[in-house]
Amino acid sequence: MNNTTDSSFPFLRGTTVLAVKDTTGVAMAGDGQVTLGQSIAIKHTARKVRRLYKDRVLAGFAGATADAFTLFERFEAKLEEFSGQIVRASVELAKDWRKDKYLRRLEAMLLVADASSILMLSGTGDVIEPDDGIAAIGSGAPYALAAARALTRHAHLPCDKTAMESMRIAAELCVFTNDSIVLETLAVLPPSK
C-alpha cells in the first residue's frame, strides 16, 4: 500500500495525520479539511486528532468519519480493558477489525501513540510501528512523512515543531489537506523513584 491515494482506497483521501516521536515525547497533528467525493472544502476545521485514556494516548484518523468514530470507540474500550497499553489494545482491535464482518467494512485507518510508541492500524489486521518514530496516514501522508524525515535529520527540531512544519508543507502540496492544524503532544514522563 505505497500509494495512499490509490483509487482502491478512496477513503484515504481528504485528510492527513502525522505523528513524530523524539526523546522528549510524541506529537500528533491532523489537518481540518473534510471532503465529500471531489468536493474539497466541505468543512475546514474538523478535529481528527484526539486524546484518549486519561489523556495518555493520542489517536488520529483518516477515512470515513462515521467509521473512524466507530473505531475510536472500539479502541477506547480496548484501552480501558488493557489499562492503557496501546500495543495490546491495538493488536486486539486489529484482530476484531479483521475478523468481524461489520468492522471489516469500515473505511478508515487509525494512527495511535503514547509517549513511547507510535502505531498505525488498518482493517487488514496491520499494526505497524515505524522504525524511525515518524508515521503518517491519509492523502497527504507521503508529503508530511517526507517533510518530517527531512526536518528530523537536518533541522533537529523538537517533535511538536517538526509535526507542525511538516503538516504545513503537506498542506501546500496536497489539495486534500489544509492548514487548519490540530496538534496534541505527550511528554515522556521521568522514571518514578
Side-chain angles (χ1 to χ4, degrees), residues 11 14 51 87 93-94 97 128 135-136 165 183:
F11 57 90
R51 288 179 169 272
V87 173
L93 176 63
W97 196 351
I128 302 167
E165 189 56 31
L183 176 73

Side-chain angles (χ1 to χ4, degrees), residues 105-162:
R105 296 178 189 258
L106 297 181
E107 296 181 343
M109 288 184 75
L110 291 180
L111 187 59
V112 300
D114 62 12
S116 60
S117 301
I118 297 172
L119 301 168
M120 292 188 310
L121 288 75
S122 78
T124 58
D126 296 324
V127 177
I128 302 167
E129 183 171 14
D131 292 334
D132 60 0
I134 304 169
I137 58 174
S139 61
Y143 308 112
L145 193 62
R149 285 183 175 153
L151 290 170
T152 300
R153 290 180 187 148
H154 303 292
H156 307 291
L157 298 172
C159 63
D160 59 338
K161 295 201 181 327
T162 298

Side-chain angles (χ1 to χ4, degrees), residues 34-109:
V34 174
T35 62
L36 181 60
Q38 296 302 313
S39 301
I40 292 173
I42 299 298
K43 183 173 176 67
H44 298 283
T45 58
R47 188 171 180 89
K48 300 171 192 168
V49 174
R50 302 210 183 317
R51 288 179 169 272
L52 304 174
Y53 193 74
K54 303 173 188 174
D55 290 339
R56 295 188 347 218
V57 174
L58 303 177
F61 73 88
T65 306
D67 292 354
F69 283 113
T70 298
L71 291 172
F72 271 151
E73 289 174 10
R74 298 280 182 124
F75 183 65
E76 258 188 312
K78 295 293 184 188
L79 283 171
E80 290 295 331
E81 183 180 347
F82 299 110
S83 305
Q85 298 175 40
I86 71 162
V87 173
R88 183 86 189 271
S90 296
V91 168
E92 293 303 319
L93 176 63
K95 283 182 190 176
D96 291 351
W97 196 351
R98 187 173 181 158
K99 292 178 187 175
D100 185 280
K101 190 184 294 187
Y102 167 73
L103 289 178
R104 272 193 310 233
R105 296 178 189 258
L106 297 181
E107 296 181 343
M109 288 184 75

